[in-house]
Amino acid sequence: MSHKLTIENSPLQVYASALLFSPERSLLRRCFKEEEPKWITIKPAIGDQWSACLQTFEGHKGSVYSVAISRNSDRVASSSPDETIRIWDSNSGEWLQTLEGHSSPVNSVAFSNNSAWLASASSDETVKIWDTRSGECIRTLEGHYGPVRSVAFSHDSTWLASSSLDRTVRIWNSRNGEYLRMLEGYSGSVNSVVFSHGSDLLASASSDKTVKIWDRKSGKCIRTLESYCGPVRSVAFSHDSTWLASSSLDRTVRIWNSRSGEYLRMLEGHSGSVNSVVFSHGSDLLASASSDKTVRIWDLSSGKCVRTLKGHSGSVRLVAFSHDSALLASASKDKTIKIWDLGSSEYLQALECHSGSVRSVAFSHNSALLASASSDRTIKIWDASSGEYLQTLEGYSSPINLVAFSYGSDLLASASSDMTVRIWDARSSECVRTLEGHYGPVRSVAFSHDSTRLASSSDDRTVKIWDASSGECLQTLNAVRTLINISFDDTGSYLQSELGTIDISARSGLVPLRTSSEPHNLQYQGPALSSDGVWIVYDSNNLVWLPSEYRSSCSAASGRTISIGAGSGRVWTCKFGLDAS
C-alpha cells in the first residue's frame, strides 16, 4: 500500500524508490535485495518494520484543513484553503472527484451518517451540502456573518449544525435547508461544533476559552465548561455521549462528564497547540492532532498516551477514526492526508551594535574582516581579529538578508528584501553598483572565484547571473522554488545549491539573456533534488521518487551526496556511486 501510487505512476520505481524506502525486514526488501540500486552507496535508514501509515493522499494546492471518513470507511473527504474538497478511495488511495463551488478556504467537512451527503463549511460564510455520488452541490446554506469554521450532521442526518467567527452556532434542517435556530452567548469565535450520538445535545468550543453544551430541542445552554488557559479549538462527544473531550491552544486535552459537567482528567504531552480531538467508536481511545506535527492516541481508562504518530512535516489540523476504529486519518498543513493503521508508532566575543535581528554574517576570504547584515537595513563591517567596529553601509529601504565577500576581499555583495543586489567597495564603503531585475526579496548572493560574475536567488523563484563589472544580467534561471544557498564552483561553470549542482555552462544550452527574457529551467549535473522536492534526479532525469515523509524542508548537496532534513524531523543521507545510468 505504501508504494502503490508511486508504482502506478512510475512502474520502474519498484526497483528504486519502493526498495529504498521499504523496511529492512519487509517481504519486498528480502525478496528483491539483489535488485537494490547499486549506484546508491549510502542509503536512508528506514527501520525494520512498516510504519502505521498506510496511505498518503496528495493533490491539494494548499494546507489540508479538514478530513472526514465515511461511515463504511470506503471514502475519505478532505478540504483546503485552495477552495476545493477532494474525495478519495480509502482502500486504493485513488482520487475520485473534486468538489468546487466555494469562493474562499474550506475549513471543515463532514459526512452524513449514511455517507450520501457531505457538508462543507467555508470562509465565504456559507455551508454547502453535496451529493457524494454525483459531486453535485444540492444546497447552499446562507446566514452566517463571518467565516464558517465547523460543520456537523446529527447522527440521523436530519439536522446540521454550523459554527462561525460571528460567535454563533446555527441549526439547519439538512433535508430542505431550512434555518431552524441560532445559539448565542459566546464572546469569541466558535471554532468547533458536534452533536451527541443521541442528537439531543450539542457541544461547541470557542476562542473565549469555554465549551458550551446545548439542548438541541430548546436551544438552551445547559452547561458552560471553563478552566482553559487558551482558546478552545475542538470538542468531541464519546459515542455513548457520556464523555466530552476538548482541546486548546494551551497544549492540553481535557475530559469532562457531559451530563454533570464534572472535569475528569487532563491529557498532557503535546508540545504545541492541540487542534482537534476525536473519540474512537468504542470510546476507549482518543486521538489528538497538534501543531507539534504529531498525532497522539490516548487510552481513556488510564489517561496514558499509548502511541505517537509521526510523519507529517507541518501542523496537524484534524483527525478522524474509521468506523471500525482500525484506521485513523490525519490532515496537515504540509498539504497531505495520511491514513494510519492503529493495529501495528563557546563563543569568543560578542559584537553588539545592530538595532534589529542579524540575518547574515560573512568573513572576508583573507579572514581580516567580518560583515553583518540586519533587519535594521544596515551592514556593519568589523575587524575580525579584535572585534572593533569599523563602518556602517547604509542605503537600503528593507531588511538585508545576506552578505558575501568577493574572493579578493575588496568587494562585498548584499541581498535585500527590497528586491535588489548591491555591490560595495569594502574599503571605502561606497556602493559601486545596484543590480535590479528580481521581482521578490533576494535571499542569497555569491561571487564567482574570479569575481567577474555574481549569482543571486530570490523569492521570485529565479536565479540570476550578473556581470559584476557592468551590472548586466547574463542569465535568468527558473528555479521553481527559492534557493537559499548558492555558490560558484572553482571552474565557474556550475552553481552549487542545496538541491544539487546546477549547470550554467555553454554546453547546458543556456545563452546570455536580458532581464526581460523568459527564464530557462535549471539543468542539473549529477544527483540533485528536483525543484518540487518530489524526486531525486540525475542530470535532470527523474531517478528516485521520495515518499512525502522523506521530502526536504531543508537540504544540502556536495558532489554525489545529498542530505535531507524532512519536516517530520527525519534527517537522512543518500550517496551515489559513479554511474546512475
Side-chain angles (χ1 to χ4, degrees), residues 419-441:
M419 302 186 284
T420 68
V421 175
R422 296 189 184 210
I423 301 177
W424 308 80
D425 185 306
R427 298 184 183 88
S428 68
S429 73
E430 179 188 359
C431 178
V432 295
R433 195 159 287 106
T434 299
L435 311 180
E436 298 178 290
H438 282 297
Y439 295 98

Side-chain angles (χ1 to χ4, degrees), residues 57-356:
F57 302 152
E58 300 178 86
H60 282 294
K61 297 176 182 177
S63 305
V64 183
Y65 276 4
S66 178
V67 65
I69 302 178
S70 63
R71 182 179 174 84
N72 60 8
S73 303
D74 66 343
R75 295 288 184 268
V76 173
S78 58
S79 70
S80 169
D82 65 11
E83 304 177 5
T84 70
I85 300 153
R86 286 180 176 245
I87 309 294
W88 315 79
D89 184 302
S90 61
N91 297 307
S92 68
E94 181 185 0
W95 163 54
L96 301 176
Q97 55 187 334
T98 299
L99 311 182
E100 298 177 290
H102 283 295
S103 58
S104 292
V106 186
N107 301 313
S108 176
V109 286
F111 281 101
S112 63
N113 203 41
N114 62 4
S115 303
W117 295 340
L118 185 78
S120 58
S122 171
S123 293
D124 64 10
E125 304 182 0
T126 70
V127 174
K128 290 182 181 289
I129 300 177
W130 309 80
D131 184 306
T132 57
R133 296 179 183 86
S134 67
E136 178 187 359
C137 176
I138 57 177
R139 197 160 288 116
T140 299
L141 311 180
E142 299 177 284
H144 281 293
Y145 293 98
V148 188
R149 300 296 295 271
S150 179
V151 66
F153 280 101
S154 63
H155 285 261
D156 61 2
S157 303
T158 301
W159 298 289
L160 188 71
S162 57
S163 67
S164 170
L165 244 61
D166 65 9
R167 304 181 181 183
T168 70
V169 174
R170 289 176 181 257
I171 310 296
W172 314 80
N173 183 313
S174 60
R175 303 189 187 280
N176 59 24
E178 180 186 359
Y179 164 59
L180 302 175
R181 179 174 284 121
M182 182 191 298
L183 309 181
E184 299 177 282
Y186 279 110
S187 59
S189 63
V190 189
N191 301 318
S192 178
V193 63
V194 63
F195 281 96
S196 67
H197 288 259
S199 301
D200 55 332
L201 299 178
L202 190 76
S204 52
S206 172
S207 293
D208 67 7
K209 305 178 185 180
T210 69
V211 173
K212 292 184 184 292
I213 300 178
W214 307 82
D215 183 291
R216 180 195 54 78
K217 295 178 182 177
S218 67
K220 291 183 178 180
C221 177
I222 58 177
R223 196 160 287 111
T224 298
L225 311 179
E226 300 176 273
S227 72
Y228 273 105
C229 301
V232 186
R233 299 295 295 268
S234 177
V235 64
F237 279 103
S238 64
H239 283 257
D240 59 5
S241 300
T242 301
W243 294 339
L244 186 74
S246 52
S247 68
S248 170
L249 290 180
D250 66 7
R251 305 179 182 182
T252 68
V253 177
R254 293 170 194 255
I255 308 297
W256 313 77
N257 183 304
S258 64
R259 304 293 178 184
S260 67
E262 179 187 2
Y263 167 56
L264 302 175
R265 176 176 284 141
M266 182 189 298
L267 309 180
E268 297 179 283
H270 282 295
S271 59
S273 61
V274 186
N275 301 317
S276 174
V277 287
V278 62
F279 285 92
S280 66
H281 287 259
S283 300
D284 55 334
L285 299 176
L286 184 82
S288 56
S290 172
S291 295
D292 65 10
K293 306 177 187 177
T294 70
V295 175
R296 286 179 178 252
I297 309 296
W298 308 84
D299 183 312
L300 290 174
S301 61
S302 65
K304 292 182 178 180
C305 176
V306 295
R307 182 171 290 126
T308 300
L309 307 179
K310 300 178 181 180
H312 281 296
S313 58
S315 171
V316 188
R317 302 291 299 265
L318 192 137
V319 283
F321 278 101
S322 64
H323 193 71
D324 61 4
S325 300
L327 304 177
L328 186 81
S330 56
S332 171
K333 192 175 180 180
D334 66 8
K335 305 181 184 180
T336 71
I337 304 99
K338 291 185 181 290
I339 307 296
W340 309 84
D341 180 353
L342 297 182
S344 45
S345 20
E346 178 172 356
Y347 66 88
L348 297 174
Q349 53 194 347
L351 310 179
E352 299 181 21
C353 197
H354 283 291
S355 59

